[in-house]
Amino acid sequence: MCMFKQASWNQPVIFNMGKNGRRGHILPKVEEDIRNAIDLDSCIPKHMRRENLPKLPELSEVEVVRHFVRLSEMNYGVDSGLYPLGSCTMKYNPKINDMLASLPTIGMVHPYQDEGTVQGILEILYKLERWLAEITGTYEVCLHPAAGAHGEFLGTLLMLTYHKMNGESEKRREVIVPDSAHGTNPASATMAGFNVMVVPSDEDGCVDLEALKSVVSEKTAGLMLTNPNTLGIFEKNISEIAKIVHEIGGLLYYDGANLNPILGKARPGDMGFDIVHINIHKTFSTPHGGGGPGAGPVGVAKELAKFLPVPRIVLDSERYSLDYNRPHSIGKIRSFYGNIAVLLRAYAYILSLGFDGLKEVAEISVLNANYLMKKLKKIKGLTLPYNSKKPRKHECVFSAKLLKNDTGVSALNIAKRLLDYGVHAPTIYFPLIVEEALMIEPTESFEKEELDRFAEVMHEICEEAYRNPENVLNAPHNTAVSRLDEVKASHPKTMALSWRMYLKKNKQK
Ligand SMILES: *Cc1c(COP(=O)(O)O)cnc(C)c1O
């Protein structure tokens, strides 16, 4: 099987490169009389001026170019190959969307410009809101949140505000989440001040209805649910679930990270959800990774629309304007109107695919996941927990527990060995209810040949685990860096997200 070898440069951190006085660009000198004419004291108050020059690396242009080209050669992205990171929907991002978002007529628009001069962008955002409302079956959509988790936070605040308006916020302190939920669900509910109640999954991988009935009460503020859930399984009892929660006065929150497989096929609003977030950077194809950028618009049912953050974009006889006059609004949750460049890409994506195209996205993503699932099911060492006979939607979650018991090779080791074949690893150890989980989401963006190759590579790795486990345990071998220290990389004591932080932690000057 064709192997892969990643470029490996011994590239220092940019702060350790260059020489004093080296320059990549020469700025024209400011004439003496202009310099004298500038009254620094009135331009920048003294207490806001920096005494020392910022400690920036000093390099020539060619050094900078080579540095970043080398780093990019040691990277792997969705443009390099298969990226089956379950739940993250790492689909291909069409370049035309990037092109549109980087047009100077769009890039140079400033949020403080007069409304009359930004009618074009307001129209785009207004239309995008309407389209997303149509796609999710909600009444009004707010584009402001910067990520899914941010949308969840807004959603749980809306829940709180709704119960407050009914004089019940003191009583309704509990938010229910299934045990298959993404970690951001309980985190968001906790941030909004709720207590989290966990409801278990049944043997089909769906919410256990009896358990749900026993946990709901007049203390319930609402339920947060992903559908299809993180096992890739459609919650077939969703109407019953909605009835149970609504009957006791709770609201239903839809975590839209898994919207991809039901695009144009089913709508959360029609399933009974009152609040819905959409992960624009997942479903609507905008580049994401490394924590951003993203967008997590929130759609709501009619009775919640008045609580949405300001400003709202309104259309009045062909003129768009920003409406701040919303007495029931929860206020602002982000500066200005959202992550515009990300939202624009989504607008272009929806426009280029059209309704039929969106439906095809759903169909092919489901077809790909089930095709891959059938092939992977044959591999010795892997099992498919939760009703292995049932088809999945956009993703399938395998367990490597058997393989680990037989050979010592874990899901983590498989993930590392996959990198040697030039394939990105799937999500591992999530959802928490599957031991040694490998969560695989191929999306609609990959050809059959690539899916076949992925299945073959997985087969080869599991076979190797039985034959020569050492080689899998020590993987990767062909990547720019070998196995990293997982604890060091995420422990607050050692994690350094910037050079300044690194120096501080290593007590260097
Ligand atoms: C990605 C994801 C989230 C969080 O979304 P972000 O945009 O990463 O904040 C929430 N729930 C599920 C199921 C997800 O996959």
Side-chain angles (χ1 to χ4, degrees):
M1 169 127 302
C2 137
M3 282 292 220
F4 152 93
K5 192 119 183 78
Q6 195 167 38
S8 174
W9 297 96
N10 189 11
Q11 195 65 13
V13 174
I14 201 162
F15 292 92
N16 280 341
M17 293 169 62
K19 281 220 158 67
N20 280 352
R22 199 171 280 176
R23 289 285 177 272
H25 191 74
I26 297 167
L27 297 171
K29 267 218 150 20
V30 180
E31 300 292 342
E32 193 72 15
D33 48 344
I34 296 181
R35 194 195 295 263
N36 291 338
I38 299 173
D39 177 11
L40 255 187
D41 286 328
S42 69
C43 290
I44 310 170
K46 199 158 185 147
H47 72 278
M48 294 179 88
R49 272 185 251 158
R50 209 195 308 250
E51 290 305 324
N52 302 316
L53 287 173
K55 285 196 185 107
L56 295 175
E58 299 180 74
L59 298 104
S60 64
E61 180 175 324
V62 68
E63 279 180 298
V64 174
V65 169
R66 287 198 183 126
H67 178 72
F68 286 108
V69 167
R70 285 173 182 184
L71 292 188
S72 76
E73 286 171 353
M74 297 197 285
N75 205 349
Y76 185 93
V78 81
D79 287 346
S80 320
L82 198 69
Y83 209 125
L85 204 56
S87 201
C88 288
T89 314
M90 300 295 286
K91 59 171 74 177
Y92 175 69
N93 313 127
K95 299 301 164 222
I96 186 152
N97 303 348
D98 290 340
M99 254 177 63
L100 285 172
S102 54
L103 286 177
T105 42
I106 281 174
M108 298 301 283
V109 169
H110 195 280
Y112 281 141
Q113 257 174 259
D114 183 81
E115 271 167 26
T117 67
V118 287
Q119 288 294 300
I121 190 78
L122 290 180
E123 180 180 348
I124 287 176
L125 297 176
Y126 182 86
K127 284 188 172 160
L128 181 62
E129 281 187 356
R130 293 315 314 149
W131 293 347
L132 294 176
E134 184 61 36
I135 288 168
T136 54
T138 54
Y139 182 74
E140 246 188 74
V141 168
C142 166
L143 301 175
H144 301 188
H150 197 185
E152 289 173 30
F153 181 55
L154 168 58
T156 44
L157 287 182
L158 292 172
M159 230 183 233
L160 188 69
T161 310
Y162 170 81
H163 292 307
K164 209 174 251 172
M165 187 196 68
N166 295 335
E168 293 194 332
S169 59
E170 294 298 320
K171 184 175 85 177
R172 297 193 180 270
R173 305 295 319 141
E174 295 176 355
V175 167
I176 302 167
V177 298
D179 59 2
S180 60
H182 193 265
T184 49
N185 292 184
S188 305
T190 306
M191 272 180 73
F194 291 111
N195 301 321
V196 173
M197 311 294 284
V198 178
V199 50
S201 305
D202 64 15
E203 62 222 28
D204 278 344
C206 295
V207 169
D208 186 321
L209 282 184
E210 291 314 309
L212 178 66
K213 282 179 196 158
S214 70
V215 81
V216 294
S217 71
E218 74 268 19
K219 288 194 224 153
T220 304
L223 167 83
M224 296 177 90
L225 195 66
T226 315
N227 195 19
N229 62 31
T230 62
L231 294 164
I233 296 170
F234 193 86
E235 296 278 355
K236 58 183 188 303
N237 298 320
I238 184 59
S239 303
E240 176 75 14
I241 293 170
K243 203 168 140 230
I244 295 170
V245 175
H246 283 152
E247 266 175 4
I248 49 92
L251 294 176
L252 254 82
Y253 182 93
Y254 182 82
D255 175 339
N258 295 347
L259 188 66
N260 209 46
I262 60 165
L263 269 184
K265 298 276 177 184
R267 308 191 307 171
D270 299 338
M271 296 176 205
F273 286 95
D274 307 288
I275 310 170
V276 176
H277 91 247
I278 302 151
N279 296 67
I280 288 286
H281 42 291
K282 296 179 182 173
T283 312
F284 295 99
S285 161
T286 69
H288 73 292
V298 168
V300 292
K302 192 170 179 181
E303 64 269 31
L304 298 171
K306 59 176 182 281
F307 303 129
L308 287 177
V310 285
R312 305 285 312 135
I313 301 170
V314 290
L315 174 61
D316 187 14
S317 57
E318 289 182 30
R319 195 189 145 90
Y320 295 91
S321 59
L322 295 166
D323 182 10
Y324 284 87
N325 187 21
R326 299 259 168 155
H328 296 285
S329 165
I330 66 159
K332 281 180 83 68
I333 48 126
R334 193 191 182 280
S335 56
F336 305 118
Y337 327 113
N339 245 341
I340 302 295
V342 173
L343 295 166
L344 267 167
R345 286 175 172 88
Y347 178 84
Y349 183 69
I350 296 174
L351 201 59
S352 59
L353 285 174
F355 182 61
D356 289 339
L358 290 180
K359 273 211 289 204
E360 213 177 319
V361 163
E363 286 162 7
I364 300 187
S365 73
V366 174
L367 179 66
N368 280 357
N370 284 280
Y371 177 76
L372 201 53
M373 178 188 83
K374 286 235 160 172
K375 290 205 138 193
L376 297 176
K377 255 165 66 171
K378 295 190 191 126
I379 296 177
K380 187 182 168 196
L382 299 184
T383 54
L384 185 70
Y386 295 103
N387 201 342
S388 65
K389 295 207 172 55
K390 223 176 155 169
R392 299 303 197 250
K393 291 290 176 211
H394 60 302
E395 64 196 1
C396 47
V397 182
F398 279 86
S399 168
K401 190 178 163 203
L402 195 65
L403 188 82
K404 194 182 172 195
N405 287 346
D406 288 351
T407 68
V409 167
S410 65
L412 174 77
N413 296 313
I414 297 176
K416 297 292 182 191
R417 186 68 175 130
L418 272 169
L419 308 180
D420 282 336
Y421 291 84
V423 175
H424 196 281
T427 299
I428 51 173
Y429 301 103
F430 175 70
L432 303 176
I433 51 174
V434 173
E435 269 183 82
E436 294 298 322
L438 290 154
M439 185 192 213
I440 300 162
E441 179 182 7
T443 81
E444 69 283 5
S445 315
F446 293 95
E447 306 296 342
K448 179 176 171 293
E449 291 80 5
E450 235 163 330
L451 301 178
D452 288 340
R453 181 166 178 268
F454 179 75
E456 266 175 62
V457 167
M458 285 291 289
H459 183 261
E460 209 167 282
I461 293 172
C462 292
E463 208 164 58
E464 186 181 35
Y466 283 97
R467 197 167 19 88
N468 178 14
E470 277 307 302
N471 208 40
V472 187
L473 292 169
N474 298 326
H477 309 284
N478 304 335
T479 48
V481 287
S482 54
R483 191 165 302 203
L484 298 170
D485 186 329
E486 305 268 332
V487 177
K488 234 177 165 178
S490 54
H491 196 281
K493 273 218 169 92
T494 42
M495 182 168 60
L497 299 175
S498 69
W499 180 241
R500 206 186 300 176
M501 211 182 207
Y502 175 83
L503 291 183
K504 226 177 180 173
K505 290 200 168 162
N506 289 277
K507 300 264 182 299
Q508 283 169 265
K509 272 271 140 55

